[in-house]
Amino acid sequence: MSDTASAKVQQTADSSSSEQQVKTGSPNDFLKSVIGKKVIVRLNSGIDYHGTLSCLDGYMNIAMEDTEEFVDGALKSAYGDAFIRGNNGAHIFCL
């Protein structure tokens, strides 16, 4: 399947079916689409950072604005700007 192809997922409920389009694309396309949006960045350590993704580079270094740090679901710190080094194995979730 190509990067621009769409996959169809078929769901059945009470013997009736409906189709839903699922977009596929490269990780680079996703990352470009979430710049300037609210995201959660989760590190390998389990710490979450909530904020606005301002930029990232080819090494996956991440710059965020209006950042809050959450440890075990509890707010620990609030930062204006934060820089997360890419080798922390971050996962990025768009809100």
Side-chain angles (χ1 to χ4, degrees):
M1 186 180 300
S2 71
D3 286 345
T4 58
S6 294
K8 287 187 179 179
V9 177
Q10 191 163 9
Q11 300 174 336
T12 57
D14 299 288
S15 69
S16 66
S17 65
S18 63
E19 291 184 5
Q20 179 180 0
Q21 292 285 337
V22 177
K23 258 188 177 176
T24 60
S26 72
N28 193 37
D29 293 338
F30 167 74
L31 293 172
K32 286 180 183 177
S33 73
V34 296
I35 291 176
K37 295 184 181 173
K38 294 282 188 183
V39 296
I40 298 173
V41 176
R42 179 166 296 150
L43 306 184
N44 283 336
S45 64
I47 297 173
D48 289 343
Y49 291 90
H50 297 216
T52 304
L53 181 66
S54 55
C55 66
L56 53 91
D57 64 13
Y59 295 102
M60 287 297 295
N61 295 317
I62 299 168
M64 298 175 69
E65 299 172 346
D66 302 321
T67 309
E68 297 176 323
E69 179 182 48
F70 288 83
V71 178
D72 297 326
L75 177 64
K76 290 294 179 185
S77 298
Y79 307 102
D81 295 329
F83 181 80
I84 300 170
R85 190 171 172 186
N87 68 345
N88 287 308
H91 299 273
I92 301 174
F93 305 94
C94 187
L95 296 177

